[in-house]
Amino acid sequence: MDGKRVVVGVSGGIAAYKACTVVRQLAEAGHEVRVIPTESALRFVGAATFEALSGHPVQTGVFDNVSEVPHVAIGQQADLVVVAPATADLLARAVAGRADDLLTATLLTARCPVLFAPAMHTEMWQHPATVANVATLRQRGAVVLEPASGRLTGTDSGAGRLPEAEEINTFASLLLERSDALPHDLAGRRVLVTAGGTREPIDPVRFIGNRSSGKQGYAVARVAAQRGAEVTLIAAHTAGLIDPAGVEMVHVSSAQQLRDAVSKHAPEAHVLVMAAAVADFRPAQMAQAKIKKDTPDNPDSTAAPTIELVRNDDVLAGAVRARADGQLPNMAAIVGFAAETGDEHGDVLFHARAKLRRKACDLLVVNAVGDGRAFEVDHNDGWLLAADGTESALEPGSKTLMASRIVDAIAEFLHGHDC
């Protein structure tokens, strides 16, 4: 992505120190970053720090460099404004249209996407005034992220923690790629997502696994939550990914554990997104001790052990059957994933269409794999197949961008079926 002009607003909360990482990562991505703190923010992080990280002077008031009209020009010229942290006070001032410092004046003049990353105590976040302010900002087109849950200041814990810098910048990058990627259109929906690769134990040391990193499933969960859905993410093994803010996490290991977790949570869900790479087979028996290459009785043995495999349950097909049997009364959309390669029988789409017919899900996301594609990378592309026969390409881009296209299709499907 070509470098963009990004304004990072910083308001006065203890989480202001995390803005340093936000600024550094945006600058390292090649963007021109201008930091506008409030006076209160400078009580937590000094101006010199932000100037060193951004390479631009820092000012807070509207009477500095008046000849350059910064209170108007900065917002007019920006491609994106990120406010991290956004305190309850800053959100209230933004709603009221205040312009009593450089940051709030910039928010009034900006016509680019604006991303607020709230951070405050749980009681403040849940107060009716803040709830109303957040709703107003979203109605006006701003993106207000759901905060993370966890340790706050002092000994308090709960919702209101600033999302990690990597997550904030993931959404910043998404908005720079696609300014309309995060409408708040899934409020009231319950979305169940699976992600990552399962591991089927052979012995206490070894397992049968796959190359799934979980990045695409995490991206779908992250985008769906920020579009207003109540999201539960069932995560198998991943590449050390950060748990998405505003998402209920369920961690599993094997295919059987993932199946059980889906069975538990699916009856309450409106949407199931099966992005996990679930092993088709598992060892019939797990050895209780490590299988040795050599034994004391036969130290020069060259024989290899035989591992008997049995088939795992097909979680996606099981969910489709359960819905047909009336066991999932709320389930409106079931989305499958297919990682395919071509062979002598047909190309990727040939096998994907056959899988869609077998699985009978509503939507199928198809990825061609191999040669640095799909697995263990940050970018993706593919196709989206629907049960009604429509097909559309998912153009190359970040996995978060692809997730936004997938969630678009889910939202459209729900709307089309009046769900």
Side-chain angles (χ1 to χ4, degrees):
M1 186 188 304
D2 294 335
K4 302 291 186 178
R5 293 180 293 256
V6 180
V7 174
V8 177
V10 185
S11 58
I14 185 61
Y17 75 93
K18 292 185 178 181
C20 297
T21 304
V22 173
V23 173
R24 177 178 58 79
Q25 291 179 350
L26 287 169
E28 288 177 349
H31 303 303
E32 180 183 344
V33 184
R34 179 76 179 264
V35 182
I36 306 179
T38 64
E39 286 287 348
S40 296
L42 293 181
R43 297 173 70 91
F44 294 94
V45 180
T49 300
F50 291 130
E51 289 176 348
L53 291 171
S54 68
H56 288 282
V58 165
Q59 61 191 81
T60 61
V62 297
F63 293 106
D64 297 324
N65 300 322
V66 173
S67 62
E68 298 178 9
V69 200
H71 71 288
V72 174
I74 294 174
Q76 288 177 332
Q77 297 168 4
D79 296 303
L80 174 69
V81 176
V82 179
V83 183
T87 61
D89 176 71
L90 187 284
L91 295 175
R93 291 199 291 141
V95 167
R98 296 282 295 274
D100 49 355
D101 61 11
L102 187 57
L103 177 53
T104 51
T106 298
L107 290 172
L108 279 181
T109 58
R111 294 299 180 265
C112 59
V114 177
L115 173 67
F116 293 93
M120 63 198 73
H121 265 68
T122 305
E123 293 85 355
M124 293 181 176
W125 174 248
Q126 295 175 346
H127 192 281
T130 304
V131 172
N133 288 337
V134 169
T136 298
L137 289 170
R138 285 171 172 164
Q139 289 168 1
R140 293 175 182 172
V143 175
V144 184
L145 298 183
E146 289 294 318
S149 293
R151 181 70 179 270
L152 304 172
T153 54
T155 60
D156 292 340
S157 294
R161 180 182 174 90
L162 186 72
E164 295 301 320
E166 291 81 1
E167 185 157 19
I168 294 170
N169 284 338
T170 292
F171 287 118
S173 296
L174 175 61
L175 291 172
L176 288 171
E177 289 183 282
R178 182 188 168 202
S179 62
D180 63 344
L182 294 172
H184 204 258
D185 58 351
L186 290 179
R189 309 296 189 185
R190 293 185 294 274
V191 178
L192 180 61
V193 182
T194 69
T198 64
R199 291 181 178 180
E200 314 305 316
I202 297 171
D203 61 21
V205 176
R206 304 176 181 90
F207 60 85
I208 298 172
N210 57 64
R211 293 175 55 199
S212 175
S213 65
K215 291 178 179 179
Q216 188 63 75
Y218 268 55
V220 171
R222 182 170 280 121
V223 169
Q226 298 303 343
R227 287 175 64 160
E230 181 182 329
V231 180
T232 299
L233 174 57
I234 301 173
H237 292 272
T238 63
L241 303 180
I242 297 171
D243 289 349
V247 171
E248 178 187 357
M249 296 298 302
V250 178
H251 292 281
V252 299
S253 180
S254 68
Q256 290 178 305
Q257 291 172 353
L258 187 143
R259 176 205 61 195
D260 292 344
V262 170
S263 296
K264 176 181 178 181
H265 292 278
E268 300 301 320
H270 298 112
V271 180
L272 171 62
V273 182
M274 281 293 303
V278 184
D280 294 325
F281 302 95
R282 69 180 187 276
Q285 298 271 333
M286 174 186 167
Q288 298 305 305
K290 179 183 176 182
I291 300 172
K292 302 294 193 293
K293 181 172 60 177
D294 304 315
T295 66
D297 296 332
N298 191 2
D300 298 320
S301 173
T302 59
T306 298
I307 300 174
E308 179 185 358
L309 300 178
V310 295
R311 186 182 292 273
N312 279 320
D313 291 337
D314 188 322
V315 182
L316 175 60
V320 172
R321 288 194 302 270
R323 181 174 65 173
D325 293 340
Q327 299 173 26
L328 303 178
N330 299 308
M331 188 67 68
I334 298 178
V335 184
F337 273 65
E340 295 288 352
T341 61
D343 58 21
E344 68 274 14
H345 300 293
D347 61 11
V348 168
L349 280 175
F350 172 84
H351 291 292
R353 290 168 185 140
K355 184 171 185 176
L356 178 61
R357 290 192 294 270
R358 291 195 310 273
K359 304 292 187 180
C361 52
D362 301 302
L363 299 169
L364 185 69
V365 180
V366 184
N367 301 126
V369 298
D371 297 326
R373 301 183 67 184
F375 286 131
E376 302 174 311
V377 293
D378 295 325
H379 54 273
N380 211 350
D381 59 32
W383 299 268
L384 186 64
L385 311 186
D388 63 6
T390 59
E391 300 180 359
S392 57
L394 296 169
E395 299 298 331
S398 70
K399 286 188 173 179
T400 309
L401 178 62
M402 185 166 175
S404 74
R405 301 296 190 194
I406 295 168
V407 176
D408 281 349
I410 293 170
E412 184 178 353
F413 184 90
L414 294 174
H415 179 74
H417 289 75
D418 296 322
C419 299

